Amino acid sequence: NGNSNCHVIHNAAKHSLRVIKYDVKTLVLKVFNEFSMSSKRVEELKECFEFVQQDFHNVLRHIPVRWLSLFNAMDRLILNWNAIKTYFIKNGKNEYDKIIWKFFGGQKNELSEQLTLSECYIWFVHHVLSIFQKHILILEKNNLNAPEVYDVMLSLRSQILNRKNDNFFRIAVTTRLPNLTSKESDIFKSDALNTYKRGLEYLKKWFDYEHSPFKLISCLKLSELPKLTDLLDLA
């Protein structure tokens, strides 16, 4: 059913991202914790929003047991990135643990348009999560019919495979990779391609693309007339 396939997609996302060398999920949690219990820090953050001339938006919390919360939290993190980056760099390395500073320590200019290696990972993880999230949301639609499930799973696999084959990591990342050192670029590409590879392997293991009953009944989609040969296969 759709719910079990949502689990497959969710777990495929988690499995694929385990090879990422930068712990983006922990960054999201720690950024939220930085401001969740201190109104003083929130006021300091608001000043950073004013400095970068951006409207203030609250930092969102990621709840690990909720499928879509990491994407939503990262979406907000990227929206707020210049202000958050300004805040942490202004306060300096001694105020934060190694995980947070790993993302900000390489910054030379908080308003630079050039993505650092750590930022490439943040943008890439957000891109990967957006693919998985989009397909989970489709499966969760109340008006989705069982014959449509196979096409959703096929679309997910195709989008990941195409990105892997095309070495596409998101426009903001792909176009800025030449600004990294050759070593940094090679490290990132290896991790990113391995992320796609692991996602595809997980989907192949837990969703039977060749013999799934969803494939068999996919010819019954309301959006198109079934072929006679497909109907005979159902007999």
Side-chain angles (χ1 to χ4, degrees):
N1 57 44
N3 190 52
S4 64
N5 289 314
C6 285
H7 277 287
V8 170
I9 295 176
H10 172 253
N11 290 336
K14 290 200 301 184
H15 180 76
S16 66
L17 292 170
R18 282 177 182 156
V19 295
I20 296 295
K21 291 182 174 62
Y22 284 76
D23 193 348
V24 176
K25 183 176 74 172
T26 299
L27 173 69
V28 170
L29 294 171
K30 286 184 175 291
V31 168
F32 174 81
N33 290 338
E34 174 73 11
F35 304 107
S36 63
M37 302 297 290
S38 173
S39 58
K40 179 177 180 293
R41 291 173 183 170
V42 172
E43 290 305 314
E44 291 178 6
L45 179 61
K46 287 181 178 179
E47 292 177 3
C48 293
F49 272 91
E50 292 180 7
F51 178 74
V52 300
Q53 298 181 327
Q54 183 179 346
D55 292 335
F56 175 77
H57 300 278
N58 284 321
V59 177
L60 294 183
R61 181 184 182 188
H62 164 50
I63 303 172
V65 296
R66 293 188 180 176
W67 294 348
L68 305 182
S69 70
L70 179 57
F71 172 78
N72 293 332
M74 287 200 66
D75 208 40
R76 182 61 59 84
L77 179 68
I78 288 177
L79 176 65
N80 295 343
W81 185 247
N82 279 342
I84 289 174
K85 186 163 58 169
T86 301
Y87 170 89
F88 283 105
I89 292 175
K90 181 183 71 171
N91 287 325
K93 178 179 180 180
N94 294 333
E95 296 294 320
Y96 306 107
D97 63 28
K98 292 181 180 179
I99 292 179
I100 280 190
W101 201 248
K102 187 175 183 179
F103 287 91
F104 298 105
Q107 304 287 341
K108 296 179 180 179
N109 180 350
E110 61 268 31
L111 299 181
S112 173
E113 294 183 0
Q114 305 300 332
L115 294 183
T116 63
L117 177 61
S118 60
E119 287 174 321
C120 285
Y121 277 100
I122 293 171
W123 264 246
F124 173 68
V125 169
H126 178 263
H127 178 64
V128 171
L129 287 175
S130 72
I131 301 170
F132 287 107
Q133 190 224 28
K134 178 176 70 174
H135 289 83
I136 287 176
L137 290 176
I138 294 173
L139 289 178
E140 288 182 336
K141 287 183 177 179
N142 292 330
N143 61 350
L144 184 79
N145 297 307
E148 298 173 297
V149 169
Y150 183 77
D151 281 357
V152 176
M153 300 301 292
L154 194 63
S155 168
L156 173 60
R157 185 180 69 173
S158 297
Q159 289 188 26
I160 297 172
L161 182 61
N162 289 341
R163 282 162 172 76
K164 177 178 177 292
N165 291 340
D166 294 340
N167 280 4
F168 181 79
F169 313 115
R170 178 178 180 152
I171 292 177
V173 175
T174 303
T175 57
R176 288 174 171 82
L177 283 179
N179 298 320
L180 301 177
T181 66
S182 58
K183 181 179 179 180
E184 288 177 332
S185 180
D186 289 344
I187 290 172
F188 174 82
K189 287 180 180 177
S190 176
D191 281 353
L193 291 174
N194 201 13
T195 296
Y196 289 146
K197 177 174 177 286
R198 286 171 62 89
L200 291 168
E201 289 173 347
Y202 193 94
L203 290 173
K204 180 180 179 180
K205 180 178 180 180
W206 293 101
F207 185 84
D208 189 351
Y209 281 93
E210 294 303 317
H211 306 102
S212 169
F214 290 110
K215 180 180 182 180
L216 191 63
I217 65 172
S218 63
C219 64
L220 300 178
K221 295 189 296 289
L222 298 178
S223 59
E224 58 187 57
L225 291 174
K227 298 177 182 178
L228 178 59
T229 53
D230 292 331
L231 293 176
L232 291 175
D233 287 339
L234 292 174

